[in-house]
Amino acid sequence: MIMRNPYLFSTLLSTLLIGLCMQASIAQTNPPKVEATYGQGAKSFKLATGSPGELGLLQQLGEAFDKKEGARLVWIKAGSGASLNLLKTQQVDMIMVHAPEAVNKAITEGWATGRTLIGSNEFYIVGPTADIAKIKSASSGADAYAKIAKAQANFISRGDKSGTHQKEMDIWKKVGITPEGNWYIVTNDFMTASLKRANADKAYFMTDSSTWVAEKNVAPELQILYRGDPYLVNTYDALVAPVGATENRDIAAKFIQFVASEEGQSIIRNYGKAQYKEALYNDAVYAKQYVY
């Protein structure tokens, strides 16, 4: 199409530029909330993630890295979807996420680099002891979901575009079901809060194994009813902004190298054993077999 009206073209161009400037201004004037800072070093970098921060793994990794590099880890609490967006808009230097398809897209588009597999956990489907949907006999995670939908048993969804929510929606898609109705309850909240809601409503919920091991005391009415489907293994990637995109990108890249090193991997594979008698995460060697 040929733009014949130069005034109209100028107006459209100005509107576009104003919109871009407003987006940049909003990102600058409304920086993401800092959940915690680990370390005492003079340097710092921003990292967005969810459960690894909630469950304390990030603190242990950050403090160990600070001793080596003198750099503080500034944690922004966000699920995988929000973390990816924070990296895309250059509001954080790096992220740790469990959303393989979204990560592939980010790498292809060029606003995320340095993809590094760092570990894994898995998803459990927990629910009330009565198990009215009878998912204990399910042949797969998808079969468990189909049974829940057929029974219209209360099911909790995070609904927040997190890695957990993305995996949940993939499973519904597998069984050709669009979940809706009073039985399908959306929290728009993080993992532990959603687990508490599932307990209160005696509902089914897909929780990651790490959260269950560490926080199952908040859900005494629930138990693990289905686990073991390889599709429910949850791999974590670390990603960093492109060179020059954020102020402390290079420090963040060093942190990823540390997490991937034997020292960092040892922290991951042993984290939780002392307190919970079992590890909360598997290391990258274990996780690699489930990368697809």
Side-chain angles (χ1 to χ4, degrees):
M1 181 181 72
I2 299 174
M3 184 66 71
R4 299 185 182 280
N5 187 331
Y7 175 76
L8 179 59
F9 175 76
S10 176
T11 301
L12 290 172
L13 181 60
S14 296
T15 302
L16 176 61
L17 290 173
I18 289 170
L20 291 171
C21 288
M22 285 179 65
Q23 287 183 350
S25 177
I26 290 170
Q28 290 172 0
T29 57
N30 296 297
K33 176 188 173 185
V34 174
E35 189 71 20
T37 300
Y38 304 124
Q40 303 294 324
K43 299 177 288 185
S44 69
F45 63 100
K46 290 181 179 178
L47 187 163
T49 194
S51 294
E54 278 196 318
L55 300 178
L57 174 62
L58 204 61
Q59 179 175 2
Q60 196 165 120
L61 288 168
E63 290 176 349
F65 179 71
D66 182 54
K67 289 178 181 177
K68 296 174 73 72
E69 296 288 339
R72 290 168 285 125
L73 188 163
V74 179
W75 172 36
I76 309 300
K77 184 177 177 179
S80 290
S83 292
L84 282 154
N85 187 59
L86 287 168
L87 187 67
K88 185 175 184 178
T89 55
Q90 301 178 1
Q91 296 183 74
V92 297
D93 302 293
M94 66 163 291
I95 58 177
M96 289 179 173
V97 294
H98 56 106
E101 290 184 9
V103 167
N104 289 339
K105 186 171 185 288
I107 294 294
T108 299
E109 292 178 355
W111 48 266
T113 65
R115 182 179 191 174
T116 304
L117 180 68
I118 58 172
S120 69
N121 54 21
E122 64 179 294
F123 287 117
Y124 297 156
I125 304 176
V126 301
T129 306
D131 187 23
I132 62 172
K134 296 183 169 32
I135 71 168
K136 272 188 177 180
S137 63
S139 59
S140 65
D143 185 39
Y145 270 42
K147 288 176 180 292
I148 292 168
K150 184 177 180 181
Q152 296 209 337
N154 283 352
F155 180 92
I156 298 295
S157 171
R158 284 179 58 175
D160 59 355
K161 298 184 180 179
S162 61
T164 301
H165 181 227
Q166 290 178 42
K167 175 66 78 170
E168 178 212 321
M169 297 315 295
D170 287 345
I171 298 172
W172 288 123
K173 187 176 179 180
K174 271 189 166 207
V175 293
I177 293 172
T178 300
E180 56 187 359
N182 293 335
W183 62 274
Y184 187 71
I185 303 162
V186 178
T187 66
N188 284 308
D189 212 336
F190 287 95
M191 190 68 85
T192 300
S194 297
L195 183 60
K196 288 179 180 178
R197 177 66 183 273
N199 183 73
D201 290 355
K202 292 183 173 55
Y204 292 93
F205 177 54
M206 189 172 73
T207 178
D208 68 83
S209 54
S210 306
T211 299
W212 180 255
V213 170
E215 305 282 12
K216 59 187 173 185
N217 289 340
V218 307
E221 302 296 324
L222 306 181
Q223 62 177 277
I224 300 170
L225 294 174
Y226 183 81
R227 62 179 291 189
D229 184 341
Y231 188 70
L232 299 185
V233 172
N234 194 27
T235 56
Y236 273 84
D237 290 303
L239 299 166
V240 67
V243 174
T246 62
E247 184 178 358
N248 298 309
R249 179 265 180 203
D250 292 346
I251 303 170
K254 280 189 177 182
F255 178 70
I256 293 178
Q257 292 172 5
F258 168 74
V259 173
S261 73
E262 177 52 33
E263 183 178 353
Q265 288 293 291
S266 178
I267 290 172
I268 289 174
R269 78 173 70 97
N270 290 299
Y271 183 70
K273 286 183 178 179
Q275 185 172 356
Y276 306 109
K277 310 304 180 188
E278 61 180 304
L280 269 62
Y281 294 90
N282 294 304
D283 62 15
V285 171
Y286 177 89
K288 188 174 183 180
Q289 64 187 310
Y290 294 102
V291 172
Y292 61 92

